[in-house]
Amino acid sequence: MAPPVFRFAPSPNGYLHLGHAYSALLNFDCARAAGGRLLLRIEDIDATRCRPEFETAIDEDLNWLGIAWETPVRRQSEHLADYGIALEKLAALGLVYPAFESRAEIAKLVAAREADGPWPRDPDGAPIYPGAAKSLSADARARLIASGAPYALRLDMAGACRRVTGLTWNELGEGADGACGVVQARPEAWGDVILARKETPTSYHLSVVVDDALQGVSEVVRGQDLFHATSVHRLLQVLLGLPEPVYRHHALILDGERRKLSKSSRSTGLRELRAGGASPAGIRRLVGLG
Ligand code: GLU
């Protein structure tokens, strides 16, 4: 049997903190324990926030922690064509439509709808897309595109969910509410997610499923903050005919106020801890992998 394939997939939009160290070390330990492979993937599709110096720092910090990974490293910005092919497949199924509202217009639409009561939010707390772009006529769409109006490509979630029913995944970790074992996916909770934007011709959801498949990832070990996103990932995998990895969502490392760590919080940054005299073994102990 082929050895299991794990991956650590940071975004180079800041310096790594203890939460990343935990996730990376856990992937490394799981891969070693299973006689598997560990890949590193740089998720740098957001050109406005990702910077090469952060990628260099990721390399340094992971090396310092004693983590070894296979090369070449996959850098998402170098593979936009792969995501384009997946997007075309979804479009050929009639599940993709352009939506022309700006972020500010969407906020206004949500505010208007909330005059009549709360507007539904996705599992991350963001309002579900409130617009009506799905029902624009082909003519209206063509006119708007020809006029140069910027747009995002969205997934027709209702249409996608009609095609795929009984969607589940196998959770080996500590999902939300302690869910473990076979988890029922609920992609509809996300509404018509964005698959691509004009300035970024892909999205987190689309690139992550394409890459996990192209890289042969069989075990996705990542933070619980991505537990609910797995519903969208499973849906895209089925629509695109991609294999299903198993998932292990791990608990997050929280700060003193029980908040998720952020890349800007200095006290838990790996560089700061290292400068303050921490050792790799000390970091392992701090994250509970001592
Ligand atoms: N790039 C994502 C992050 O840094 C992780 C994606 C994933 O593990 O699926 O949060």
Side-chain angles (χ1 to χ4, degrees), residues 7 9-11 20 41 43 204 208 220 222 226 233 263:
R7 62 14 172 226
S11 297
H20 300 105
R41 182 165 75 227
E43 302 212 324
Y204 161 63
V208 91
V220 174
R222 61 184 178 189
L226 295 170
H233 301 171
K263 279 185 171 147

Side-chain angles (χ1 to χ4, degrees), residues 141-277:
R141 269 181 200 160
R143 263 199 314 276
L144 279 163
I145 291 174
S147 76
Y151 59 88
L153 293 172
R154 288 185 177 269
L155 179 70
D156 171 2
M157 185 58 84
C161 289
R162 274 196 298 275
R163 279 178 169 269
V164 182
T165 53
L167 193 63
T168 60
W169 77 84
N170 198 1
E171 175 67 50
L172 304 180
E174 320 156 51
D177 314 324
C180 183
V182 177
V183 176
Q184 218 66 46
R186 291 197 57 240
E188 65 280 5
W190 291 89
D192 290 358
V193 289
I194 290 183
L195 295 172
R197 294 181 193 277
K198 205 155 192 199
E199 66 281 11
T200 310
T202 183
S203 61
Y204 161 63
H205 296 307
L206 186 63
S207 20
V208 91
V209 298
V210 168
D211 285 348
D212 282 341
L214 285 177
Q215 295 190 286
V217 171
S218 57
E219 309 222 4
V220 174
V221 178
R222 61 184 178 189
Q224 251 171 11
D225 51 338
L226 295 170
F227 178 81
H228 293 291
T230 308
S231 287
V232 178
H233 301 171
R234 286 291 300 121
L235 178 66
L236 294 176
Q237 283 159 359
V238 172
L239 292 169
L240 293 166
L242 303 176
E244 173 184 358
V246 296
Y247 289 88
R248 172 170 174 178
H249 292 94
H250 60 71
L252 299 177
I253 306 274
L254 302 176
D255 69 9
E257 272 97 59
R258 309 219 27 90
R259 282 177 317 217
K260 204 176 130 179
L261 302 184
S262 95
K263 279 185 171 147
S264 54
S265 103
R266 304 218 157 258
S267 57
T268 50
L270 286 183
R271 323 217 104 200
E272 284 77 8
L273 290 163
R274 184 159 87 211

Side-chain angles (χ1 to χ4, degrees), residues 38-222:
L38 176 62
L39 311 177
L40 174 66
R41 182 165 75 227
I42 298 295
E43 302 212 324
D44 61 346
I45 55 172
D46 184 349
T48 57
R49 297 178 62 218
C50 293
R51 300 217 301 262
E53 58 267 36
F54 291 134
E55 188 184 328
T56 308
I58 288 172
D59 261 31
E60 280 171 15
D61 291 347
L62 296 180
N63 267 315
W64 175 71
L65 283 172
I67 294 174
W69 60 89
E70 286 184 15
T71 51
V73 168
R74 186 171 170 96
R75 205 168 283 114
Q76 289 188 324
S77 59
E78 294 170 355
H79 298 278
L80 298 180
D82 290 332
Y83 316 129
I85 292 169
L87 195 56
E88 273 170 30
K89 277 196 192 157
L90 296 171
L93 296 172
L95 297 176
V96 178
Y97 67 90
F100 298 88
E101 300 90 349
S102 65
R103 285 189 173 92
E105 282 162 347
I106 288 181
K108 256 181 148 168
L109 277 173
V110 171
R113 304 223 173 187
E114 291 207 311
D116 302 328
W119 181 250
R121 310 258 147 180
D122 71 22
D124 280 349
I128 299 287
Y129 171 63
K134 191 167 92 176
S135 47
L136 280 178
S137 68
D139 267 8
R141 269 181 200 160
R143 263 199 314 276
L144 279 163
I145 291 174
S147 76
Y151 59 88
L153 293 172
R154 288 185 177 269
L155 179 70
D156 171 2
M157 185 58 84
C161 289
R162 274 196 298 275
R163 279 178 169 269
V164 182
T165 53
L167 193 63
T168 60
W169 77 84
N170 198 1
E171 175 67 50
L172 304 180
E174 320 156 51
D177 314 324
C180 183
V182 177
V183 176
Q184 218 66 46
R186 291 197 57 240
E188 65 280 5
W190 291 89
D192 290 358
V193 289
I194 290 183
L195 295 172
R197 294 181 193 277
K198 205 155 192 199
E199 66 281 11
T200 310
T202 183
S203 61
Y204 161 63
H205 296 307
L206 186 63
S207 20
V208 91
V209 298
V210 168
D211 285 348
D212 282 341
L214 285 177
Q215 295 190 286
V217 171
S218 57
E219 309 222 4
V220 174
V221 178
R222 61 184 178 189

Side-chain angles (χ1 to χ4, degrees), residues 6-22:
F6 296 77
R7 62 14 172 226
F8 177 58
S11 297
N13 56 14
Y15 293 112
L16 300 187
H17 54 56
L18 278 179
H20 300 105
Y22 178 49

